[in-house]
Amino acid sequence: MANAGRPHVMFIPSAGMGHLLPFFRVIAALANRDDVDISVVTVLPTVSAAEADHFAGLFESFPHIRRVDFNLVPFDASEFPGADPFLLRWEALRRSAHLFGPLIAGASPRVSAVVTDITLTSHVIPIAKELDVQCHVLFVSCATMLSLCAYVPVHLDSKAAAGGQVGPGVGDVDIPAVRRIPERCLPPALLDLNKLFTKQFIDNGRLTTEADGFLVNTFDALEPVALAALRDGKVVADFPPVYAIGPFNSHTSASTTAKQQPAAPAGSPAAWLDGQPARSVVYVAFGNRYFVSQEQLQEIAAGLEASGCRFLWVIKTTTVDRDDKAELADVLGKGFLERVRGRGLVTKAWVDQEALLKHPSVGMFLSHSGWNSVTEAAAAGVPLLAWPRNGDHRVNATVVASGGVGVWMEHWSWDGEDELVTGEEIGDKVKEVMADKAVRARAARTGEEAAMAVAEGGTSYRSLQEFVGKLKAT
C-alpha cells in the first residue's frame, strides 16, 4: 500500500536490453527512495533470455515494486518479412497500446505519472492525457539523439513546404543550435521513409512536445550544447523539461550500495581480470542486439592477436541470445583460442559490463558505441574506441569524440556497408589508443565529471530531485 501523498509512477518499458537497462536503473534509483511508489509493466513473453533474467533480478532486488504483467495482442509478423525481432516487438506493443488505458485507469493506488519509452510515445501520451496523468519519456539514447528525434518531423515538413524533394530518406539534418548530422550518420532506417522504424520514429518525434518531461541518461558536462538547445527551445519551441540524470548505475549496484560486493566466481571474466596488470586489458563488446558476421569476427580476432594487448572479448553470433549455439573455436578460426591463451579471454556469456569497465585492469573499450556502453565507459573513465554499428550509434559516436569519452573511427564500416575492416588496421588502432596518454587523460577527466554530476548537489542529482518534485506536485 502506498503512503498517503506519495506519487505512484507506472513505468512502461519497451523491448531489447539497450532499452530495458536504462529503465531498470532509473526504477532502482527511485525505488531506493521512500517518497515514490512504483509499478512496472512487464511485457510477456520477453524477446530474449537476458530480458527475462533482468526482470526477475529487478523484482528480487526490490520486492516492494509492483509487477504488472502485460500480454500482447496476437500479432502476425509475416507482414514484415525479415524484420528485426526487436522492431517487431515495438510494433506489437504499439498495436496493443490501447490496453494501457484500462491498465492505468484501474491501478490502485491511482497512477500519478507514467514513464514510457520513446518507441511508445505517440501511443501512450494521448492515453495519459485522456486520463489526466503526467506522461514522461525515458529517452534511452543521448541528448543529441533526442534533439534529432524532435527535429526530424520539423525538418521534413520544412522541406515539403519549400517544395523540396522529400525522400527516399531524411537527408542531412541541420539541428538548430546543436549540430549538422550528415545522412551517413543517421540511423540507417531513416534512409528509407517507407520503413516501419522510420514511420515510428517520425510519429514519436511529432509528439515529443506533448510529453511532460524527458529523462535522459546523460549529464551536463558531457552534452552541454544539446542539453542547452533543448532546454532553451532552440531545437523545437516549447520543448518539455529535460532532466539529465545520468550516468545511471545498474539496479544491482543501486540495491547493494551498502553491502560488500562478493568475490568474483572462479573462472569468470571478473576473476580473470583480477589476475591482469592495471590498465592492460582491452575490453571488446558490440552490444546485445546485433551479431557480427563470421568474416568480420575473424578479422577482429586477427587484430586483437596482432595488437599484442591483453583482451576480454564478449561475442554475440545471433540477434536473439536463445538462438546462439555456435562454438567459439568454429567461429574464430582454427587455433586462435590456443594462440591467445593466457592473454586473451573470449566468452558468449552475459556479463555485468558496468562492473567490468570499472575493474582496474581494463584500459580501453572497443565498442559499437551503443549509448549504455558510452555512458558506462564515461562513468568508469575508460577510453572508448568507437566503431559505430547501427541505430543511433554514429550519433552517439559524435558525443564520444566531443565529450572526451574516446576516439571515433569514422571510416570503419560494418557488414554489408563497404568492406571488412582488416585485422591489421584493427590491431594497429587498438595499440595506438592503448598507448595514447592524452586520450586516457581526457577519459579520466570525463569520469571525474560523471562522478560529480551524480554526487549530492551535482547537476544530475539536482535534476532527479527536480523530477521527483514534479511528480509530487500532482
Side-chain angles (χ1 to χ4, degrees):
M1 183 67 67
N3 294 335
R6 189 164 71 170
H8 174 197
V9 185
M10 178 177 283
F11 284 84
I12 305 179
S14 184
M17 288 306 301
H19 285 249
L20 287 175
L21 281 176
F23 270 83
F24 293 150
R25 293 173 178 183
V26 172
I27 290 165
L30 293 176
N32 277 310
R33 306 170 64 104
D34 59 5
D35 55 353
V36 179
D37 194 56
I38 299 171
S39 59
V40 180
V41 174
T42 308
V43 179
L44 299 174
T46 58
V47 177
S48 67
E51 292 178 7
D53 291 345
H54 277 70
F55 269 117
L58 176 72
F59 294 118
E60 182 181 353
S61 298
F62 302 100
H64 58 285
I65 294 177
R66 293 176 179 80
R67 174 174 177 150
V68 182
D69 286 345
F70 184 82
N71 293 288
L72 293 168
V73 171
F75 169 53
D76 182 8
S78 65
E79 59 183 292
F80 301 107
D84 183 308
F86 294 101
L87 294 184
L88 291 175
R89 169 53 59 89
W90 296 345
E91 180 64 13
L93 269 165
R94 289 159 67 91
R95 296 187 183 199
S96 302
H98 60 281
L99 299 176
F100 289 137
L103 199 69
I104 297 167
S108 180
R110 179 187 178 275
V111 172
S112 313
V114 168
V115 177
T116 193
D117 189 279
I118 185 62
T119 59
L120 300 173
T121 298
S122 62
H123 283 63
V124 176
I125 286 179
I127 293 170
K129 285 193 172 297
E130 185 176 336
L131 296 172
D132 195 26
V133 169
Q134 286 185 32
C135 186
H136 298 269
V137 178
L138 175 51
F139 194 77
V140 301
S141 187
C142 56
T144 305
M145 188 67 192
L146 175 55
S147 69
L148 175 68
C149 182
Y151 186 68
V152 158
V154 179
H155 166 77
L156 292 174
D157 291 347
S158 298
K159 286 179 70 174
Q165 182 178 356
V166 178
V170 170
D172 296 348
V173 183
D174 195 357
I175 308 171
V178 180
R179 67 167 71 236
R180 183 177 183 83
I181 306 290
E183 190 173 55
R184 64 182 172 78
C185 293
L186 295 173
L190 294 184
L191 305 183
D192 183 353
L193 290 170
N194 293 313
K195 282 198 172 183
L196 170 65
F197 174 80
T198 316
K199 293 176 180 177
Q200 293 177 354
F201 187 94
I202 295 167
D203 287 348
N204 292 322
R206 289 194 185 281
L207 261 74
T208 53
T209 56
E210 301 298 315
D212 288 287
F214 279 83
L215 300 168
V216 189
N217 183 15
T218 192
F219 51 102
D220 284 63
L222 182 61
E223 294 189 88
V225 173
L227 286 170
L230 286 164
R231 288 166 174 163
D232 295 344
K234 293 179 179 177
V235 176
V236 177
D238 301 317
F239 199 76
V242 177
Y243 305 100
I245 59 174
F248 303 158
N249 287 320
S250 70
H251 73 268
T252 51
S253 64
S255 63
T256 58
T257 50
K259 301 176 184 177
Q260 185 176 2
Q261 294 295 322
S268 68
W272 182 83
L273 284 175
D274 287 343
Q276 310 307 316
R279 302 299 181 201
S280 67
V281 176
V282 179
Y283 173 62
V284 184
F286 299 108
N288 51 65
R289 273 198 59 202
Y290 302 103
F291 71 93
V292 180
S293 71
Q294 185 162 340
E295 293 78 11
Q296 188 62 77
L297 283 174
Q298 291 184 356
E299 292 297 329
I300 295 168
L304 292 173
E305 184 176 358
S307 74
C309 299
R310 301 168 192 264
F311 63 89
L312 169 57
W313 184 7
V314 180
I315 276 188
K316 186 174 174 63
T317 61
T318 59
T319 301
V320 179
D321 54 12
R322 292 187 177 104
D323 302 331
D324 195 344
K325 310 295 186 201
E327 295 293 331
L328 287 176
D330 296 332
V331 170
L332 298 175
K334 187 176 179 181
F336 172 76
L337 293 174
E338 289 75 18
R339 293 194 302 273
V340 299
R341 181 172 287 122
R343 74 171 177 91
L345 178 65
V346 186
T347 181
K348 292 199 296 180
W350 180 270
V351 298
D352 183 347
Q353 179 169 283
E354 179 189 32
L356 295 183
L357 286 170
K358 290 179 178 177
H359 196 287
S361 294
V362 174
M364 195 191 82
F365 182 12
L366 176 57
S367 167
H368 66 309
S369 65
W371 190 243
N372 290 326
S373 293
V374 172
T375 55
E376 288 167 358
V382 171
L384 186 146
L385 176 53
W387 186 356
R389 180 87 195 267
N390 210 321
D392 60 353
H393 302 165
R394 286 183 173 87
V395 176
N396 298 342
T398 67
V399 181
V400 169
S402 66
V405 181
V407 177
W408 174 18
M409 295 306 296
E410 293 191 45
H411 67 282
W412 282 9
S413 61
W414 276 103
D415 319 322
E417 291 181 321
D418 294 307
E419 57 187 23
L420 295 178
V421 181
T422 66
E424 181 180 6
E425 187 170 4
I426 294 167
D428 288 346
K429 196 64 186 181
V430 165
K431 254 192 312 192
E432 177 188 324
V433 176
M434 278 290 277
D436 194 323
K437 293 180 180 179
V439 169
R440 182 168 294 183
R442 286 196 299 271
R445 177 58 185 163
T446 300
E448 293 167 359
E449 291 170 337
M452 288 189 289
V454 296
E456 186 170 353
T459 55
S460 295
Y461 177 93
R462 296 197 307 270
S463 283
L464 184 59
Q465 296 293 100
E466 184 182 349
F467 170 65
V468 173
K470 185 166 186 176
L471 296 177
K472 292 179 178 179
T474 54

